[in-house]
Amino acid sequence: MTEETSAPLDEGWSGEGCPMGAFARRSFLQGAAAGLAGAAGGTALGGGAALADPVAQGEEPKSRVIPFHGYHQAGIATLPQQVAIFLSCDVTASNRKELTELFRTLTSRARFLTAGGTPPKVSPTATPSDNGIVGPTVAADGLTVTVDVGASLFDDRYGLSSRKPVQLVTMTPFRHDDLDPKLSQGDLLIQICADYRDTTVHALIDILTHTKSLMKLRWRIDGQRNQERPVGVRRDWFGFKDGISNPSVTDDTQMNQWVWVQPKSAEPAWAAGGTYHVVRIVHFHIEAWQKVPVAQQERIFGRRKASGAPMYAVGENANDLFDPIYTNDPQGLITALNSHIRLANPQTPQTAATSTILRRSYDYDRSFNLQDLDMGHAFNCFQQELKNYTTMQTRLEAEALVPYITPKGGGYFFALPGVRDERDYYARGLLT
Ligand code: HEM
């Protein structure tokens, strides 16, 4: 585990050293969240002008643009935007040539949508070139489109089986899972994130419209990131600050150690620069949770509810950047041995290699009526080794949180390396 250096805040995240020393941890969302609030605040300040100035006819709109081209895809080490849609698709292309066409189309749509701009002009009687949901000029609004492949794409349909990422398998159920096949797996996963809901929906419809002859939707989950309450890391539907401890995405050493597949690794050469992406759709039993006394809720997670700080920090405003420390608590009297954070990362030499994943989760609410709330976590994590996730998830089978959550779907995917430039396209290395 590398020591963290404080880095200037940019599209990535910056980290603060840990005041408690020994178990250097990373907690960085404060700065990053402030960045996003700043962006959103711009809106408030400028009453929307700051982010989408009125533009002259045909002139590019001014909104937050996250670069599309790069060695890695955007939407992984990118500060999580406010809104996300995860869609899993089954490919219907009949051969390798059509599959290549699909990836080329996905690339050109993502390249246009993430940059923003004016859709091609067509005669008023022709089929419009854009659905107009975000107005006559498409604003980028911090949109990222991240494309992954699933294990099923490597069956015998396209002759790619010898090129499958070594650890990419179909997700099998863990002990407490109740997986719905209609909400699981898929040939492709497309993660669409942006600052605004309409931007994500506009991109979704655009992408599905342009690819409908070559792929079809399998399942979809829409998520959001809640506001900071009062400051710092956002809270999930259980009311706990969620996303405090994570590798620092501005620390390339850490990212190359824990997230990005490296060249000359056990993985196929084309996979360098990509990463394993786990999506888990986890239903929350909100009604049951709300009856649990806060002291017990805190023992279940291993952190204080109000402050987000570790259990030894009792103050209302204790710092959530403090690290949980277990060296002086072998019996779990302070932080329970079956608490969420202690099982996820026991901080022991035996588990050190399987305790770091990059979490980038969203919360969903699909409740149509109050009787049965359908709320939960679109849990997302990225890691260089899929087994880091599966080993950690297996440890969590024994966690005290089990009675309050039910995993319902999701899958294992491999996020493709980045699209390097105008001539490149998603999965080119895999297909050629
Ligand atoms: C599904 C419901 C889940 C909820 C509500 C949840 C919530 C939380 C909360 C509140 C924290 C403490 C604050 C933080 O450091 O972010 C946390 C930490 C963490 N969670 Fe989860 N989590 C969930 C699922 C998972 C899953 C499925 C995994 C991985 C298999 C996971 C891995 C972690 C890790 C690695 C940490 C940091 C532990 C540490 O180093 O202190 N979580 N989670």
Side-chain angles (χ1 to χ4, degrees):
M1 193 85 64
T2 53
E3 197 55 45
E4 188 170 320
T5 55
S6 60
L9 190 64
D10 60 17
E11 272 309 333
W13 296 333
S14 62
E16 295 290 327
C18 168
M20 310 306 283
F23 291 96
R25 311 239 354 117
R26 298 154 301 274
S27 186
F28 45 83
L29 271 172
Q30 255 81 0
L36 186 60
T43 308
L45 283 170
L51 278 179
D53 293 338
V55 292
Q57 190 55 33
E59 189 189 308
E60 287 298 324
K62 290 185 189 46
S63 77
R64 195 163 80 93
V65 174
I66 297 176
F68 175 67
H69 294 135
Y71 181 68
H72 305 296
Q73 288 195 75
I76 299 171
T78 305
L79 174 72
Q81 300 95 321
Q82 210 62 18
V83 190
I85 298 178
F86 301 89
L87 63 154
S88 168
C89 298
D90 289 333
V91 173
T92 55
S94 43
N95 54 41
R96 182 85 154 256
K97 185 163 169 300
E98 286 190 4
L99 179 65
T100 304
E101 192 196 322
L102 170 61
F103 281 114
R104 282 182 178 280
T105 303
L106 281 170
T107 307
S108 63
R109 299 317 307 160
R111 187 179 281 129
F112 167 71
L113 294 164
T114 54
T118 308
K121 292 240 171 313
V122 296
S123 81
T125 55
T127 306
S129 63
D130 185 84
N131 55 43
I133 288 173
V134 290
T137 300
V138 174
D141 294 335
L143 179 76
T144 56
V145 176
T146 311
V147 175
D148 304 2
V149 290
S152 52
L153 191 72
F154 296 86
D155 59 14
D156 53 15
R157 285 174 292 163
Y158 308 108
L160 295 172
S161 53
S162 63
R163 298 182 172 205
K164 183 166 77 65
V166 176
Q167 299 182 29
L168 186 58
V169 292
T170 300
M171 181 175 75
T172 47
F174 291 88
R175 200 181 322 150
H176 308 292
D177 286 9
D178 173 23
L179 300 182
D180 172 351
K182 291 195 299 306
L183 211 50
S184 303
Q185 325 302 359
D187 289 332
L188 298 182
L189 183 99
I190 301 174
Q191 171 191 282
I192 299 174
C193 300
D195 298 337
Y196 307 116
R197 174 100 177 115
D198 59 349
T199 313
T200 55
V201 173
H202 171 260
L204 169 87
I205 296 175
D206 181 292
I207 287 169
L208 289 179
T209 306
H210 283 82
T211 59
K212 68 174 176 294
S213 62
L214 296 169
M215 70 176 195
K216 64 180 170 38
L217 189 63
R218 183 181 175 90
W219 53 266
R220 162 190 172 177
I221 188 106
D222 297 12
Q224 63 178 63
R225 303 226 352 146
N226 296 329
Q227 293 312 103
E228 298 127 27
R229 305 287 188 199
V231 291
V233 176
R234 71 194 180 77
R235 294 178 190 272
D236 56 38
W237 293 137
F238 284 144
F240 274 75
K241 288 189 174 185
D242 189 341
I244 299 171
S245 305
N246 241 351
S248 169
V249 294
T250 56
D251 184 314
D252 292 346
T253 311
Q254 285 187 36
M255 292 298 285
N256 289 328
Q257 181 180 7
W258 298 110
V259 177
W260 303 123
V261 165
Q262 299 299 299
K264 301 196 178 55
S265 70
E267 296 292 350
W270 70 263
T275 180
Y276 286 94
H277 182 186
V278 173
V279 179
R280 297 271 286 176
I281 299 169
V282 183
H283 174 78
F284 285 7
H285 302 291
I286 298 280
E287 297 90 342
W289 178 257
Q290 297 188 118
K291 298 192 187 94
V292 178
V294 170
Q296 190 186 343
Q297 291 183 3
E298 293 183 335
R299 280 194 69 70
I300 288 172
F301 272 113
R303 279 188 178 261
R304 299 288 174 189
K305 187 164 188 175
S307 66
M311 296 301 282
Y312 59 75
V314 291
E316 184 75 16
N317 302 316
N319 193 330
D320 61 10
L321 289 179
F322 287 168
D323 284 321
I325 293 190
Y326 308 143
T327 43
N328 56 355
D329 179 26
Q331 288 131 344
L333 302 176
I334 301 170
T335 308
L337 298 177
N338 66 347
S339 65
H340 181 72
I341 65 169
R342 193 152 185 180
L343 282 174
N345 178 10
Q347 296 187 7
T348 61
Q350 300 80 4
T351 58
T354 59
S355 294
T356 303
I357 56 174
L358 175 64
R359 289 171 297 137
R360 197 177 190 276
S361 298
Y362 284 77
D363 299 297
Y364 71 81
D365 179 4
R366 303 187 303 172
S367 320
F368 299 109
N369 60 44
L370 275 183
Q371 259 58 46
D372 44 4
L373 290 175
D374 183 357
M375 301 166 73
H377 226 30
F379 174 86
N380 278 262
C381 62
F382 297 89
Q383 51 276 300
Q384 186 183 84
E385 306 260 353
L386 187 60
K387 71 173 174 34
N388 287 3
Y389 163 77
T390 51
T391 310
M392 188 185 286
Q393 185 68 69
T394 306
R395 288 199 297 263
L396 288 171
E397 287 178 338
E399 69 171 325
L401 186 64
V402 163
Y404 305 101
I405 57 173
T406 301
K408 293 278 187 187
Y412 299 155
F413 301 92
F414 187 82
L416 296 163
V419 174
R420 307 299 164 72
D421 54 35
E422 290 293 336
R423 286 164 296 120
D424 195 6
Y425 55 89
Y426 289 125
R428 186 173 59 80
L430 166 61
L431 296 165
T432 55

